[in-house]
Amino acid sequence: MRTTPDLSAAVWRKSSYSNTNGGNCVEVADGLDSAVPVRDSKDPQGPALLFPTAAWASFIAGIKTGDFPTSP
C-alpha cells in the first residue's frame, strides 16, 4: 500500500525558470527519499504532484541534455 509523504515540513524552492511577475511559478521540495513533490507556488495550500525520485532524476537529465524542445 502506498502512503503519501507528509509535506508539512517540506522546504520548497522556486524554479529558476519561473518568472517574477507571478506567473509560471513551479516549486520543488528536495529531501524526501521516495518522491519529489512539485507544486504551483501561486497555490501553496493546493495539491502537489509526487514524482518517484528515479523518474524525476531522468526528467532533469533529459532537460540538461536537451531532450525537450523549447517553445519558439
Side-chain angles (χ1 to χ4, degrees):
M1 181 167 105
R2 293 183 182 185
T3 59
T4 303
D6 178 12
L7 301 178
S8 62
V11 177
W12 296 89
R13 62 181 171 86
K14 189 179 288 193
S15 166
S16 60
Y17 287 94
S18 293
N19 71 33
T20 57
N21 298 328
N24 301 326
C25 300
V26 176
E27 292 182 324
V28 176
D30 297 315
L32 295 171
D33 291 333
S34 61
V36 177
V38 179
R39 71 178 183 188
D40 181 348
S41 66
K42 297 182 303 296
D43 187 14
Q45 301 307 316
L49 297 172
L50 297 173
F51 295 94
T53 305
W56 186 257
S58 292
F59 173 66
I60 297 300
I63 290 172
K64 290 180 178 180
T65 59
D67 291 345
F68 302 101
T70 58
S71 24

